Amino acid sequence: MAENIALRPALPADAPALAALFRLSVETLGVEDYSEAQVEAWSALAEDEAEFARKLAGALTIVATLGGAIAGFAALKGADALYMLYVHPHFARRGVASALCDAMEKLAAARQAKKLTVDASDGAEGFFARRGYAPQKRNMTFVGDEVLGNTTMTKDLPAMTGPTQ
């Protein structure tokens, strides 16, 4: 049974809910691939909700809802960088990440991007690979006192022709 995932622009009032979703997603899904200390450091990136709201406002951020509940969000930085893609653990594996990624790919193409780049967490790398993203390089990023690994992946986008709908 297909679920009706609705997408909409993020609103400033969404910031606390998106910060909470970010933390819950990292704390629940991140433990499969990262140590407890790494997960704590990563999750702490959303503790300052005002700073987190500024990060979201500095990108094109969209929210996915299912049954009126916020199920996930994604952010596009510039024309070609998928900056964030997080799904509430309750809505994992229900098409939310795919719907968000589809939208980000279309938005990037509409912004004339030739490819979309994402720094995929170890847990998300398989998701992006199945969508046609190719690994480019391995990264080690300092988050607080912890070092987290991720993989820069890219996907070529089709050229947009004519007006978008």
Side-chain angles (χ1 to χ4, degrees):
M1 173 173 90
E3 299 190 64
N4 292 328
I5 299 167
L7 301 177
R8 64 169 175 78
L11 305 170
D14 291 326
L18 298 183
L21 185 153
F22 173 92
R23 289 189 303 267
L24 186 61
S25 177
V26 168
E27 291 164 3
T28 303
L29 304 175
V31 295
E32 296 174 14
D33 300 291
Y34 297 95
S35 73
E36 185 177 332
Q38 289 172 316
V39 167
E40 286 177 16
W42 186 5
S43 174
L45 293 174
E47 281 181 4
D48 181 342
E49 288 181 2
E51 177 59 27
F52 193 75
R54 280 191 287 282
K55 288 178 185 177
L56 296 175
L60 174 58
T61 304
I62 60 172
V63 172
T65 60
L66 259 170
I70 293 177
F73 72 95
L76 182 68
K77 204 175 215 182
D80 62 356
L82 181 51
Y83 176 53
M84 290 190 218
L85 193 155
Y86 291 88
V87 175
H88 189 290
H90 178 73
F91 296 105
R93 293 166 184 70
R94 290 168 64 179
V96 174
S98 293
L100 287 165
C101 202
D102 286 346
M104 287 291 139
E105 290 171 7
K106 288 176 184 164
L107 289 166
R111 290 180 165 193
Q112 308 303 312
K114 303 223 182 310
K115 67 181 176 180
L116 190 57
T117 301
V118 62
D119 288 337
S121 69
D122 292 351
E125 192 173 343
F127 167 79
F128 287 108
R130 288 187 296 278
R131 293 187 59 86
Y133 288 75
Q136 302 300 313
K137 67 176 180 169
R138 186 75 178 151
N139 308 301
M140 300 309 273
T141 305
F142 280 93
V143 180
D145 292 334
E146 295 297 317
V147 177
L148 276 74
N150 65 34
T151 302
T152 299
M153 303 178 79
T154 60
K155 179 179 181 176
D156 291 333
L157 299 174
M160 294 293 286
T161 56
T164 59
Q165 303 224 343

